[in-house]
Amino acid sequence: MRFKLLSIAYLVCACAPQTAPTPARVTPSDPEAITAAYMDAIRGDPSSLLLFLRDMPKGGDLHNHLGGSIYAESFVEWAAADGLCLVQRELRLKPPPCRPSAGEIPASQILRDGKLYGDVIDAWSMRNWNPARENGHDQFFESFGKFGLAEEGRAGDMLAEVTRRAADQHVIYMELMDRPDGDGVVGMSMSMPLDTNFSALRDKLIARGLRDTLQAGRRKLDGWERRQRQLLACDSSPRPPACDVTVRYLYQVLRGLPPQAVFAQILAGFEMTRADPRVVGFNLVMPEDAVVPMRDFNLHMRMIDFLHGLYPDVKISLHAGELAEGLVPPEGLRFHITQSIDLGHASRIGHGTAVLHENDPRGLLKKMADRKILVEIALSSSDAILGIRG
């Protein structure tokens, strides 16, 4: 969603004092000191700093939604190639057939109309977003429902795109949030009544074939990666750098669904992490401020707490505190991060923006420091979605 490109600008601005300091004396045998001295010398030169940061090895990208990392231009091309339709009034994709009388046109027409193409790109991304027309929160989250159909059957293409870009940016490791089983686990759970006896609910889901569904998901994951290697030409010589980017997955749980479906997905996250070494944990996604995630937050944490006792080795990273004053009532800001750690057993927190609104924020920050709980801070996301910067 074009957030990562914005992050460099924040880093440049944060690193640029009015005058550059005098570089420290270093010896040619100390590469780390030489690099640090060079960075100090260019802190006041945004252009040189940008080039330096672009070439610098980045390590790992730990907070990455696969569907949200694809540029809208790719979705347009895939929608056209796959014969999808565009509802012009809403700039939303739908399956064929297209009904001209209802304002539906083939998505291929987007590529032949410059004005429409620009409008679609703006609607499906944060490009040209204007806060005077719509807040960033709604612009961002509503876009997924507009381009979502273009993702179907394109996971391998998406993997190729994100790893190619990661290699260009000298990222060597990625954790991508997605669900290899698609809606399989959700589908088997929707007809089940919620049973607050979590042990019994788990047994019912396994009896219904949850593990078989996840095995099918693993085979889909194999297919994604085959398609990725094919598109990147990983068997060619020389081997493209994108083929050497290590990719792991976090099973994503749609927390805005009914409780039994959320429980089934959380269970799937634990089970799939145990079954497939490529899946290294799970996370909860969808807007934290939406009605169901707010209403059921404690319930979701209790589900995780129960299952953690059965799968204590599974790593947990949770979106929490992706909130701001005015977005939810004050009471809703006071406990999400704390419960994500105490009940959700999170070793990483995504965003954590509202941490100072939590009950006992100083105690919470000390606990996080003592336990070495990583915070995945997303500067550009906080700016565009929550209006928080600086």
Side-chain angles (χ1 to χ4, degrees):
M1 300 300 291
R2 290 183 162 82
F3 280 152
K4 288 184 174 62
L5 296 181
L6 297 175
S7 297
I8 288 180
Y10 279 93
L11 188 53
V12 170
C13 293
C15 294
Q18 292 298 313
T19 58
T22 302
R25 288 185 178 277
V26 296
T27 62
S29 61
D30 188 352
E32 185 174 340
I34 292 171
T35 304
Y38 178 73
M39 183 171 177
D40 284 340
I42 63 172
R43 282 180 183 273
D45 182 351
S47 297
S48 296
L49 190 60
L50 176 61
L51 294 175
F52 170 78
L53 293 172
R54 180 179 295 163
D55 291 338
M56 183 176 68
K58 305 302 191 302
D61 183 356
L62 302 182
H63 191 112
N64 193 310
H65 301 260
L66 180 57
S69 298
I70 304 302
Y71 273 63
E73 289 83 350
S74 297
F75 286 133
V76 170
E77 292 180 10
W78 298 337
D82 294 343
L84 298 178
C85 306
L86 180 75
V87 182
Q88 287 185 277
R89 182 171 58 85
E90 303 171 12
L91 298 179
R92 171 181 56 83
L93 293 174
K94 69 171 289 289
C98 308
R99 300 174 301 159
S101 61
E104 301 168 5
I105 61 173
S108 57
Q109 290 189 24
I110 302 171
L111 296 170
R112 299 194 292 269
D113 184 329
K115 172 66 167 58
L116 178 60
Y117 183 83
D119 290 344
V120 168
I121 299 301
D122 289 348
W124 293 3
S125 74
M126 298 299 288
R127 192 188 77 166
N128 292 329
W129 162 62
N130 185 344
R133 292 197 301 264
E134 184 174 31
N135 66 71
H137 175 282
D138 292 349
Q139 168 73 14
F140 177 79
F141 286 112
E142 289 175 4
S143 67
F144 289 89
K146 296 175 181 177
F147 64 69
L149 277 180
E151 297 184 50
E152 294 188 5
R154 292 288 182 171
D157 302 67
M158 293 160 66
L159 276 178
E161 178 169 329
V162 297
T163 51
R164 186 184 294 115
R165 189 168 298 123
D168 289 343
Q169 297 172 352
H170 302 283
V171 172
I172 61 175
Y173 175 86
M174 305 184 78
E175 288 184 7
L176 302 175
M177 284 176 261
D178 213 302
R179 292 180 301 153
D181 66 295
D183 289 329
V185 168
V186 171
M188 74 164 55
S189 66
M190 290 296 279
S191 62
M192 298 176 63
L194 175 64
D195 188 340
T196 54
N197 180 337
F198 295 147
S199 181
L201 184 55
R202 173 179 176 268
D203 291 344
K204 291 175 185 176
L205 285 163
I206 291 175
R208 281 199 175 192
L210 179 136
R211 287 172 176 160
D212 293 336
T213 299
L214 294 181
Q215 284 301 321
R218 294 180 67 189
R219 292 191 291 272
K220 285 185 180 179
L221 192 54
D222 294 338
W224 295 4
E225 295 185 343
R226 281 195 300 270
R227 173 66 172 168
Q228 174 204 20
R229 291 193 296 271
Q230 176 189 7
L231 290 171
L232 295 175
C234 289
D235 294 329
S236 64
S237 182
R239 180 181 170 91
C243 301
D244 295 321
V245 175
T246 299
V247 176
R248 296 292 181 264
Y249 303 92
L250 293 173
Y251 188 95
Q252 70 176 18
V253 174
L254 304 181
R255 60 183 170 187
L257 299 184
Q260 64 272 28
V262 174
F263 181 87
Q265 293 173 91
I266 295 173
L267 174 60
F270 278 106
E271 285 276 339
M272 199 157 191
T273 304
R274 277 273 185 91
D276 195 316
R278 294 170 295 183
V279 181
V280 295
F282 70 90
N283 207 328
L284 308 186
V285 304
M286 297 181 73
E288 187 176 347
D289 59 283
V291 59
V292 172
M294 291 296 294
R295 182 195 68 205
D296 292 347
F297 193 91
N298 177 262
L299 176 61
H300 295 163
M301 294 304 109
R302 288 189 282 114
M303 292 173 177
I304 296 173
D305 186 41
F306 167 76
L307 291 169
H308 172 73
L310 303 178
Y311 308 82
D313 55 324
V314 171
K315 300 297 184 183
I316 301 169
S317 176
L318 296 178
H319 284 76
E322 190 182 2
L323 301 167
E325 286 184 291
L327 193 59
V328 298
E331 296 77 17
L333 298 170
R334 293 176 181 166
F335 63 92
H336 283 200
I337 299 173
T338 300
Q339 286 198 0
S340 295
I341 294 169
D342 292 345
L343 282 177
H345 303 278
S347 56
R348 297 200 324 236
I349 293 293
H351 297 272
T353 313
V355 65
L356 293 182
H357 295 280
E358 294 264 330
N359 294 318
D360 188 21
R362 290 183 177 85
L364 173 59
L365 288 168
K366 184 178 186 306
K367 178 192 299 183
M368 295 171 74
D370 291 344
R371 296 187 187 178
K372 295 182 169 54
I373 294 172
L374 176 72
V375 180
E376 303 156 355
I377 298 174
L379 297 177
S380 299
S381 178
S382 293
D383 182 4
I385 294 178
L386 301 177
I388 292 176
R389 63 186 63 87

